[in-house]
């Protein structure tokens, strides 16, 4: 009988696409001087090891033993053959999915939360702060801090804090504090509340609160769950495993890879090792970024320097952007509601190393329901965008094409989002 | 570096402890005649293949290929070493946990839902009905029916239907219908509603509705998620895998196994292959059933013939029972709130092949929080009872003892239950 799960071992190194880009990545700029950022500009918020990873052009960076031993609690994440989906679609292409929902937090986010917490602890930091929207990132950092004996404080956008209690409760089980943002615990929060006591909050405001607390406590640092180069690096465990698993499955290469993109960390982690192989060894894997048509950062945005936040306090990043004041509509795939894109993903698109499509929410959920009923796993709303891209492609794929879906997480805590799509 | 996950392959056969019991299992009796049940008594509700498994004394029964290929989507479930928990406890015993929460439904229930649906479909049945409380079993049968192209109709106790929408939405994503019970769709439901239109419902009433619908439709059968012998058989994949995984890990045997018990299917599945090995090969694995002190079926109940339901309509089963009219208090571990116990588990206890302890809810959640903060996985409220039993034992265990925890599921959809225990 076929083994449907193809395993490998946990990679020993992360892969860094900055070693193989045919042109170097445009640097981040200081928001005041517009000069390239130096390490000292980031030192108040991040440990030096992560700052060095942020600017590194080394191809492989060793994963610390303790980080690997925690990864090994759920990694390698399984690569599964989607035979029942193939049958339902009547395709002769072979469809696989790389499933990150097996992590204790239910998504790919712990892949970077664990090393971020670890490098901070190595440099004497005992407390991390961050912001979270729906809560996937907050829960992942809370998990990392629990396992590494650190404390974690999360500012969650008030509207999510009130309407989605499960993720907050998850953070609390892990021993973290979760505050609704804006809160009366910070200067910026108090100012916001004075202006509008009933504000539902925003990710931009939550960032300001988390950064303020970290900047004022020498034992604390701030942690970011996507966009930055060191986050793409940590997520490369996904694609590193995928390369080995495809070989184990007897596939010469993935012909098409579909992943969802919000900030870009899941798709970057999944695809960069394969793009690197294209550049070094001449494989011809095509990578398709699947973004929501309600927030079409790559397909409709401009490629230029822009701020990462609404207030214009972050460094300037060269990226695809809808403008830092763009407010995406409240789609269910909260993790894809970001005006910008990871600079490394944007650079890869700009160099023609990957392409992008926009997917309507209705099509995404229809594909998610079909996937659940054939493969059994209910995809996260974010991941349904990748499923929809792959399903649409598979209908016209040639026989023997190899299609890989990046299934970034499960939708167990997003089940209410499926209502209206299950008929 | 140590691999923390110990894998094996999917077993080819289920194991049946009825082949190795030193005394035969007392038979189920007809509720009217009090004579042993014949296959024809069960034929209106169950397919003949499952009825034959119910009375089989064959030691190994082959798992059908299609069932194995579905199992292979998440099985073998991982056996993990709990090194961080060991360190936190300061024990020199080695603690492992067998984690069933990796299934798409988040628990061990699909292990029997899949074959039950499959054997029904083989005999021409296209529709299954069942009852569910909190929803784990309903969601698992809905998953099985989606994968096997059948329809599924679930009656969920009204109070859970109203207060816990996630499991219902999970069933709906899988294409099943989920009705609050009592409903106006059945005679028994209408009678109940006429008596008390505002009733919160009960498992007993939901069983009556599901059985009534199945009995009146020649295309339909009824499906039960625990207690019966064929359910114990299907769940034996857990223990079959465990035996191989322990050997792979270099352990001669499990010295102590802790599993939670409600109806008994998780503990039976986990431990019966090990008890069989004790009986045949002289290993000395001790098995401890961990039940909630609020529903102490084994530790406080009588071992006698009793009904499975409140109304006294089911066959009489020889089991540990608190009385079929016992109403357990509303503890969080809804899956452990049952007045009776699987006859095979009761027989094993009565023969001295396993023992039982009662665990307070407070101690269970305290152990669950410690487990989450050391191992990363948030256990289901049911599973926390097994964790508590193991943690308490580990504190006084000898060095080199091998302790195995049956982690029957994750607590992602039970996070509100943890409130008040996270301080």
């Amino acid at each position: 009988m076929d083994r449907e799960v193809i395993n490998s071992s946990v990679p020993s190194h992360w892969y860094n696409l900055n070693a193989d880009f045919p042109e170097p990545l445009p640097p981040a700029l200081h928001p005041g001087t517009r000069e390239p950022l130096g390490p000292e500009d980031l030192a108040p918020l991040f440990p030096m090891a992560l700052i060095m990873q942020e600017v590194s052009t080394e191809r492989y960076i060793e994963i610390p033993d303790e980080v690997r031993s925690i990864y090994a609690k759920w990694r390698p994440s399984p690569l599964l053959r989607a035979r029942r989906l193939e049958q339902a679609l009547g395709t002769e292409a072979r469809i696989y999915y790389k499933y990150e929902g097996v992590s204790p937090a239910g998504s790919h986010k712990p892949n970077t939360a664990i090393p971020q917490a670890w490098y901070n602890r190595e440099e004497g930091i005992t407390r991390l702060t961050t912001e979270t929207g729906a809560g996937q990132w907050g829960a992942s950092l809370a998990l990392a801090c629990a396992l590494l004996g650190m404390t974690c404080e999360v500012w969650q956008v008030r509207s999510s804090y009130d309407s989605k209690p499960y993720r907050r409760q998850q953070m609390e089980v892990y021993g973290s504090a979760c505050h609704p943002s804006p809160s009366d615990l910070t200067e910026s929060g108090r100012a916001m509340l004075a202006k509008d006591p009933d504000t539902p909050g925003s990710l931009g405001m939550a960032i300001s609160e988390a950064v303020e607390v970290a900047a004022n406590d020498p034992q604390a640092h701030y942690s970011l769950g996507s966009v930055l180069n060191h986050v793409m690096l940590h997520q490369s465990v996904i694609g590193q495993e995928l390369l080995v698993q495809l070989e184990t499955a007897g596939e010469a290469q993935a012909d098409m890879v579909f992943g969802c993109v919000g900030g870009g960390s899941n798709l970057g982690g999944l695809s960069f090792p394969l793009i690197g192989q294209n550049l070094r060894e001449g494989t011809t894997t095509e990578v398709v970024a699947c973004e929501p048509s309600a927030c079409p950062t790559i397909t409709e945005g401009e490629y230029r320097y822009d701020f990462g936040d609404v207030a214009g306090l972050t460094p300037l990043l060269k990226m695809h952007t809808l403008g830092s004041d763009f407010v995406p509509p409240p789609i269910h795939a909260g993790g894809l509601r970001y005006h910008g894109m990871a600079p490394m993903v944007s650079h890869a698109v700009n160099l023609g190393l990957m392409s992008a499509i926009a997917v309507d929410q209705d099509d995404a959920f229809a594909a998610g329901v079909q996937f659940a009923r054939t493969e059994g796993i209910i995809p996260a709303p974010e991941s349904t965008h990748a499923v929809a891209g792959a399903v649409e492609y598979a209908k016209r794929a040639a026989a023997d094409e190899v299609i890989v879906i990046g299934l970034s997480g499960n939708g167990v805590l997003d089940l209410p989002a499926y209502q209206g799509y299950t008929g």
Side-chain angles (χ1 to χ4, degrees), chain A:
Chain A
M1 197 204 56
D2 287 322
R3 284 279 292 131
E4 301 214 357
V5 181
I6 300 106
N7 276 306
S8 62
S9 56
V10 180
S12 58
H13 291 73
W14 291 302
Y15 167 73
N16 182 8
L17 183 55
N18 279 319
D20 288 316
F21 271 134
E23 295 173 24
L25 183 73
L29 305 181
H30 190 283
T33 63
R34 302 218 160 207
E35 291 296 316
L37 276 190
E40 66 287 358
D41 295 316
L42 296 169
L45 292 182
F46 299 105
M48 201 45 67
L50 292 179
I51 294 171
M52 290 296 105
Q53 290 180 357
E54 191 63 21
V55 297
S56 172
T57 54
E58 266 185 89
R59 183 171 290 130
Y60 294 107
I61 294 179
E62 193 170 5
I63 303 175
D65 271 354
E66 191 175 9
V67 172
R68 281 188 82 207
S69 86
I70 296 176
Y71 278 172
K73 289 183 175 296
W74 69 90
R75 307 207 69 85
S77 71
L79 179 72
L80 290 119
R81 176 83 180 270
R83 285 183 201 277
R84 283 163 197 272
L85 178 62
E86 290 169 16
Q87 284 159 16
L89 296 172
T91 180
E92 289 177 58
R94 295 191 291 282
I95 305 177
Y96 295 85
Y97 51 103
K98 178 73 172 156
Y99 181 43
E100 292 295 309
V102 292
S103 84
S107 78
H108 67 295
K109 294 283 183 185
N111 296 337
T112 186
I114 304 289
Q116 287 195 45
W118 190 85
Y119 285 114
N120 271 290
R121 199 191 58 178
E122 285 297 291
E123 297 186 22
I125 295 297
T126 58
R127 179 190 186 199
L128 291 178
T129 70
T130 197
E131 77 290 336
T132 198
Q136 288 95 329
W137 169 242
S140 299
L141 195 64
L143 163 70
C145 287
L147 295 179
L148 293 167
M150 303 170 74
T151 65
C152 177
E153 214 158 334
V154 182
W155 275 261
Q156 183 172 26
V157 176
R158 156 144 261 144
S159 56
S160 293
Y161 182 93
D162 289 339
S163 66
K164 300 184 170 179
Y166 281 69
R167 293 278 185 203
R168 167 168 56 82
Q169 288 155 351
Q170 204 173 17
M171 297 178 227
E172 288 168 356
V173 171
Y174 289 135
S176 286
C178 177
H179 313 293
S181 171
S183 72
D184 60 4
L185 299 167
T186 66
E187 221 168 285
S188 52
R190 287 189 293 272
M192 184 83 172
L193 286 172
K195 223 168 99 185
D196 178 2
D198 297 322
T199 175
S202 73
L203 219 42
M205 177 49 54
I207 293 176
S208 303
E209 293 200 274
V211 167
E212 180 187 322
V213 170
N216 290 327
D217 177 356
Q219 292 304 303
H221 269 162
Y222 167 74
S223 191
L224 192 67
S226 189
V227 179
L228 300 179
N229 302 347
H230 67 268
V231 179
M232 305 296 127
L233 178 75
H234 302 155
Q235 293 293 355
S236 72
V237 285
I238 307 173
Q240 292 279 88
E241 290 173 4
L242 173 60
L243 284 173
V244 177
Q245 288 167 322
L246 285 170
E247 199 180 332
T248 306
E251 304 293 4
Q253 67 169 23
D255 297 307
M256 300 295 298
V257 173
F258 294 84
C260 60
V261 279
S265 74
N266 170 63
L267 179 72
L270 175 74
S271 71
F272 285 176
L274 283 67
I275 290 176
Q277 187 180 258
N278 283 350
L279 291 166
R280 293 190 316 275
E281 300 171 26
T283 48
T284 56
T285 300
E286 291 185 38
V287 177
V288 183
C290 304
E291 59 185 15
S293 53
C295 189
T297 313
I298 301 177
T299 54
E300 306 264 335
E302 289 179 75
Y303 183 49
R304 63 174 168 85
Y305 274 102
D306 197 6
F307 294 104
D309 67 332
V310 181
L313 300 171
T314 68
L316 283 157
L317 303 172
K318 182 90 180 272
M319 62 184 177
H320 289 84
T321 175
L322 295 161
S324 60
D325 56 351
F326 178 80
V327 180
I331 55 170
H332 290 299
L336 307 185
R337 292 180 66 235
Y338 185 62
H339 71 276
M341 182 53 57
M344 289 181 74
V345 169
S346 290
H347 191 52
V349 171
N350 192 52
L351 293 172
L353 304 177
M354 63 166 73
S355 62
I357 59 171
V359 176
D360 284 345
Q361 178 161 280
D362 288 3
D363 296 336
F365 275 105
V369 168
Q370 183 173 34
F371 191 88
R373 292 182 185 174
T374 50
E375 294 300 315
I377 295 165
I378 301 176
E382 290 81 5
S383 312
T384 62
H385 292 74
V387 177
V391 159
E392 194 50 40
Y393 180 84
K395 290 176 188 166
R396 55 191 162 80
D400 286 330
E401 266 192 278
V402 174
I403 299 171
V404 174
I405 302 170
L407 210 67
S408 57
N410 70 54
V412 174
L413 287 184
D414 303 288
L415 279 162
Y418 272 88
Q419 272 194 312
Y421 297 102
T422 57

